[in-house]
């Protein structure tokens, strides 16, 4: 799917990162996210409030992310898309530190 379709379908606010890996050889970024199902418009009480989803960004041309991040402490504040780039505004829940992750890519899949 496109980045616009992804952000239209998945509202990531209050979701937490489990891990983020960049594979330069395959030009992909894989994010394991403890997804906040409860924040979705389509959420119902018979669905778990949270759960792990895997998001794979394909044909990555640019990946910006600080090094040495302890992903278990990072939550997503906002995601925005501009052309073929997605920007994750994120926060360290323990230190209140703020940073961004930027991925320029062709498509994204959710597993």
């Amino acid at each position: 799917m496109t980045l616009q379709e992804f952000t239209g379908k998945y509202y990531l606010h209050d979701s937490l990162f489990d891990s983020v890996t960049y594979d330069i050889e395959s030009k992909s970024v894989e994010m394991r996210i403890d997804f906040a199902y409860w924040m979705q418009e389509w959420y119902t009480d018979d669905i778990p409030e949270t759960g792990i989803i895997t998001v794979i960004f394909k044909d990555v041309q640019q990946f910006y992310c600080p090094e040495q991040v302890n992903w278990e402490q990072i939550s997503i504040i906002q995601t925005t898309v501009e052309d073929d780039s997605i920007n994750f505004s994120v926060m360290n829940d323990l230190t209140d530190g703020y940073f961004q992750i930027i991925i320029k890519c062709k498509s994204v899949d959710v597993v």
Side-chain angles (χ1 to χ4, degrees):
M1 77 182 84
T2 67
L3 294 176
Q4 290 81 5
E5 290 169 332
F6 171 69
T7 55
K9 187 174 181 179
Y10 297 92
Y11 183 63
L12 295 175
H13 178 76
D14 276 348
S15 293
L16 304 169
F17 283 104
D18 186 54
S19 65
V20 177
T21 54
Y22 174 48
D23 185 338
I24 198 164
E25 294 294 321
S26 66
K27 296 183 180 180
S28 66
V29 172
E30 180 177 298
M31 294 180 166
R32 285 183 37 91
I33 297 173
D34 188 3
F35 184 63
Y37 287 107
W38 63 273
M39 291 291 292
Q40 311 309 303
E41 290 180 7
W42 43 264
Y43 176 75
T44 59
D45 289 338
D46 60 332
I47 300 173
E49 289 186 5
T50 65
I52 299 294
I53 63 171
T54 302
V55 181
I56 302 168
F57 298 91
K58 297 179 176 182
D59 197 12
V60 173
Q61 292 115 34
Q62 180 183 7
F63 175 64
Y64 169 77
C65 181
E67 294 182 20
Q68 308 299 324
V69 175
N70 182 352
W71 291 109
E72 295 175 6
Q73 303 168 4
I74 307 300
S75 63
I76 301 170
I77 299 170
Q78 179 180 3
T79 54
T80 56
V81 173
E82 187 174 322
D83 298 324
D84 57 353
S85 293
I86 187 166
N87 183 347
F88 291 84
S89 300
V90 301
M91 184 173 91
N92 183 313
D93 292 333
L94 295 179
T95 67
D96 288 335
Y98 169 86
F99 64 93
Q100 295 184 342
I101 301 168
I102 301 168
I103 303 170
K104 182 177 182 177
C105 65
K106 295 290 184 191
S107 64
V108 58
D109 287 335
V110 178
V111 187

